[in-house]
Amino acid sequence: YRCPLSYPPSKSPLVTLGAFMNVELFVWVRNLHVVVATLSIMLFFTRGVLLFNGAEREQLGPLRWLPHIIDTLLFLSGVYMAYLLHRLPGVDPWITTKLGLVLLYIMLGMFAFRWCKRRPLRVVAWLAAIGVFLEIVTLAVTKQFNPLLLPQLF
């Protein structure tokens, strides 16, 4: 008999079943993560549509600062879920891939909304970011990297 704690964190069958954590807390954090992820993509999509239809940055009001709060909550809830499940980047391939895709999503968003001045490239970056977000959701649900629009990174 081996103590469940002697397994590597990512291989322990009891960790994923909630033997060493408060399952209700995990469910609450997961639901928060899903709601905040939905708000994040809705705000990202809305902001892009408004900007590409001629709205000035100053006219966006809360759409300029609210995504930062939502995305911070999204990141923190994801890190906390990984902590609760004892999942580590570099150990679990799916979470390593997910973090890489999150960084790509952030960079594409920055390119679309700040760095790029040419409208066609901004639209392409915006659409690519939406595609990356869909890939992140697919990865979160399946725990396997099945590229929809992206070449396999890992």
Side-chain angles (χ1 to χ4, degrees):
Y1 174 76
R2 292 180 69 184
C3 173
L5 292 177
S6 64
Y7 286 102
S10 64
K11 303 295 183 196
S12 173
L14 297 178
V15 170
T16 58
L17 295 176
F20 300 113
M21 70 174 184
N22 182 340
V23 176
E24 290 147 359
L25 174 64
F26 173 77
V27 170
W28 188 87
V29 173
R30 186 199 60 206
N31 290 340
L32 172 70
H33 190 73
V34 169
V35 167
V36 174
T38 304
L39 287 173
S40 178
I41 194 62
M42 288 171 57
L43 289 171
F44 185 82
F45 184 83
T46 302
R47 188 174 173 195
V49 168
L50 290 174
L51 283 175
F52 298 136
N53 284 322
E56 296 295 324
R57 288 179 59 130
E58 293 78 25
Q59 294 174 328
L60 294 179
L63 285 178
R64 287 195 66 204
W65 53 266
L66 189 59
H68 301 298
I69 295 170
I70 297 293
D71 291 343
T72 300
L73 282 172
L74 181 61
F75 177 74
L76 292 175
S77 63
V79 167
Y80 193 55
M81 276 195 311
Y83 169 76
L84 289 173
L85 291 173
H86 301 279
R87 302 290 185 203
L88 300 172
V91 175
D92 294 305
W94 75 269
I95 201 160
T96 305
T97 305
K98 187 173 178 181
L99 284 174
L101 289 173
V102 166
L103 291 175
L104 179 61
Y105 171 71
I106 291 168
M107 296 302 289
L108 287 168
M110 296 287 286
F111 191 75
F113 293 140
R114 288 190 186 180
W115 297 335
C116 187
K117 302 299 179 202
R118 296 178 57 203
R119 188 170 191 259
L121 291 178
R122 292 176 76 175
V123 172
V124 167
W126 179 68
L127 291 172
I130 292 171
V132 169
F133 186 87
L134 294 174
E135 188 63 41
I136 292 168
V137 170
T138 302
L139 182 62
V141 171
T142 65
K143 307 293 187 276
Q144 295 181 356
F145 186 58
N146 298 316
L148 298 174
L149 302 172
L150 303 171
Q152 191 160 1
L153 299 174
F154 301 98

